[in-house]
Amino acid sequence: MLTTKIKLTLSLVAATSLLAGCTSSNSDESADYQALVQQDISTFQTFFKNRFPDVEIEDYKNGVYAIDENARLQWEDIEEFPPYELEVDDGKVLYETPFANGKSYADCFGDGAVRKQYPQFDDKRGEVVTLELAINECREANGEKPLKYKKGNIAKLSAYMAFQSRGQIVAARVSSEGAYNAYMGGKEFFYSKRGQMNLSCADCHMRATGYYLRADVPSPAIGHVTHFPVHRSKWGQLGTLHRRYGGCNQNIRAKAFKPQSEEYRNLEFFQTVMSNGLEFNGPGSRK
Amino acid sequence: MKNLKGLVVIATLSFTSLSFAGDALNAEEMLIDAEEANAAAAAIGFEWRDTSKFISEARIALADGKQEEAYQLAQRGYDQAVLAKKQGELMMENWEKYIPM
């Protein structure tokens, strides 16, 4: 059904182009997908502009601290001595330590400042590639075992690379039918209610953001991806975005998907596109 | 009279035993139904968190001969799985209606 809708939408776009006397080409098709997505970004970001008129869009990179002044003051104090600092140092050591074959992560990622390149849709493979997936693929290509995806060394490496990438601007592109399908998969996931609590991502992070759910204010969905991995006080350590996705799904009594599952990679892709224009400022610290 | 009493005792015991066998069959059937329903919910990506736990606990209870407990747990799992599948089907058709504006 989704495919049919996409085809219908694209047919309309193609028909409009023909009527306008345009010649079809691959670059035109690519531009059409991005145009469809751009409309979503505008609608999404406008929702938050209306919801919190005093908050600048750029400030959503700070998650819930963009909208909760009291929590922000506490967070700023914490950030004076960031709890993730030692883990970033560990990540640097891991990054620079050669594999058994003498190569290292630098052979895959250069200086590590590659955060803005991920997640990306790989047209040849037909799937979304996240930073953590790329880290493990780099390891496997060099004869090393993959790391577990939720915490530990993968989060430390990812944190170091995020730290190296601070200031880069989120600019995820949707430039092919495959990328658009993955994006739409993530979008559907985001807005679908699931679990025994019958809640969607949007229910907590759009409708309820700014209000208290028990003792906490749910963070706004825009900017979710900019500051991961995060050191959560609850975890006492760094964790990846997909670890957080799993925790959220468990909280609403849905069975969590595996980290780096197609569902979570597509969700990350959608959320990243929605945060286009914000700054990557990971790693972050959260409650 | 003694024969009549004996007959009553035998009839009662037979009925109880049949009833017990019936529960065992129902618990096993309910467990299979719950597993199938949960697999259907999982296949569309909408399995709930605790359903497989109830099914596993029902399986253990059944193995321990606790028919009634097994039945109740399997029933709970089945009910959740049916709702999860309905939720998934509803969302797959209607998720766009839930986009906040």
Side-chain angles (χ1 to χ4, degrees), chain B residues 23-43:
Chain B
D23 279 347
L25 188 63
N26 285 340
E28 178 67 39
E29 280 178 350
M30 181 53 74
L31 195 48
I32 291 167
D33 286 352
E35 283 171 339
E36 285 177 359
N38 198 39

Side-chain angles (χ1 to χ4, degrees), chain A residues 89-265:
Chain A
D89 290 345
D90 289 347
K92 184 175 191 289
V93 171
L94 288 165
Y95 193 86
E96 292 171 348
T97 304
F99 300 130
N101 67 1
K103 292 188 175 180
S104 73
Y105 293 104
D107 290 287
C108 301
F109 304 110
D111 64 359
V114 295
R115 192 67 192 82
K116 68 177 179 185
Q117 294 175 27
Y118 300 95
Q120 59 174 263
F121 187 82
D122 186 324
D123 277 305
K124 284 181 186 166
R125 293 163 54 170
E127 63 178 347
V128 172
V129 178
T130 62
L131 177 59
E132 286 78 12
L133 189 68
I135 288 171
N136 265 347
E137 287 177 348
C138 175
R139 291 179 59 82
E140 291 182 288
N142 287 288
E144 302 289 327
K145 286 183 180 172
L147 300 167
K148 290 186 175 175
Y149 279 117
K150 287 185 180 176
K151 58 187 178 181
N153 285 350
I154 196 118
K156 289 175 179 175
L157 281 160
S158 174
Y160 170 69
M161 294 166 82
F163 190 77
Q164 289 290 93
S165 311
R166 277 188 171 180
Q168 291 182 350
I169 302 299
V170 183
R173 281 194 60 79
V174 178
S175 51
S176 67
E177 184 178 1
Y180 190 67
N181 287 339
Y183 164 84
M184 287 301 287
K187 184 178 175 183
E188 182 173 343
F189 191 102
F190 184 83
Y191 291 112
S192 292
K193 293 171 185 287
R194 60 186 66 244
Q196 194 179 7
M197 308 286 274
N198 200 36
L199 290 170
S200 68
C201 305
D203 282 333
C204 288
H205 298 287
M206 290 183 80
R207 289 189 180 88
T209 184
Y211 300 106
Y212 276 91
L213 283 183
R214 293 186 177 173
D216 291 311
V217 176
S219 55
I222 183 171
H224 265 171
V225 297
T226 59
H227 43 271
F228 271 84
V230 299
H231 180 108
R232 285 189 81 198
S233 306
K234 182 182 173 183
W235 294 338
Q237 60 177 314
L238 280 171
T240 61
L241 179 63
H242 289 210
R243 180 183 182 186
R244 192 71 191 91
Y245 282 161
C248 273
N249 279 169
Q250 293 276 349
N251 287 346
I252 58 165
R253 299 186 189 174
K255 185 176 179 185
F257 291 89
K258 288 182 179 173
Q260 299 302 322
S261 60
E262 185 183 10
E263 288 83 359
Y264 284 169
R265 281 183 287 128

Side-chain angles (χ1 to χ4, degrees), chain A residues 2-63:
Chain A
L2 190 60
T3 311
T4 313
K5 279 184 184 172
I6 293 166
K7 282 179 180 169
L8 279 172
T9 312
L10 288 175
S11 302
L12 280 172
V13 172
T16 310
S17 300
L18 281 173
L19 282 173
C22 296
T23 54
S24 73
S25 70
N26 283 341
S27 60
D28 286 343
E29 193 178 302
S30 161
D32 292 337
Y33 286 113
Q34 194 60 36
L36 288 172
V37 167
Q38 198 57 45
Q39 200 172 359
D40 281 356
I41 296 171
S42 176
T43 306
F44 192 80
Q45 297 196 355
T46 300
F47 175 89
F48 288 100
K49 279 179 189 165
N50 294 335
R51 182 81 179 75
F52 305 105
D54 297 334
V55 176
E56 297 293 328
I57 282 291
E58 300 78 41
D59 205 29
Y60 285 106
K61 67 184 179 187
N62 296 318

